[in-house]
Amino acid sequence: RDLLEVARTVVSSLELDQVLQVILTSALRFADMPAGSIALYDTAQGELTLHAHQGLSPEFVNTERWEILPGGVTD
């Protein structure tokens, strides 16, 4: 049922953030997790950008972007 909902959203919307939010909501439900996020890597800027979130602190959500540092730790 969750995969069907994701598929319906993907074919009915060209809005990336809406599609990612549906995918995140479905994944959190499937994994029985209260919070999560999807961030995409911007190769031109060398940073992660938050595109979908649920159940996270306002401080985390307000950050929106994280610089990728050598060794895999974000700033």
Side-chain angles (χ1 to χ4, degrees), residues 2-72:
D2 289 339
L3 288 175
L4 185 57
E5 180 182 343
V6 169
R8 272 193 223 126
T9 302
V10 168
V11 297
S12 70
S13 173
L14 295 178
E15 178 58 41
L16 176 62
D17 288 350
Q18 180 183 0
V19 171
L20 293 176
Q21 189 63 51
V22 170
I23 291 169
L24 176 64
T25 300
S26 179
L28 292 176
R29 195 173 329 143
F30 177 77
D32 194 27
M33 298 297 294
S37 65
I38 296 178
L40 300 180
Y41 181 65
D42 181 338
T43 55
Q45 300 295 321
E47 61 189 15
L48 290 171
T49 303
L50 185 63
H51 283 267
H53 60 85
Q54 182 175 317
L56 302 173
S57 71
E59 295 82 17
F60 183 88
V61 173
N62 288 334
T63 302
E64 292 185 4
R65 295 177 181 270
W66 300 270
E67 180 183 356
I68 302 299
L69 302 175

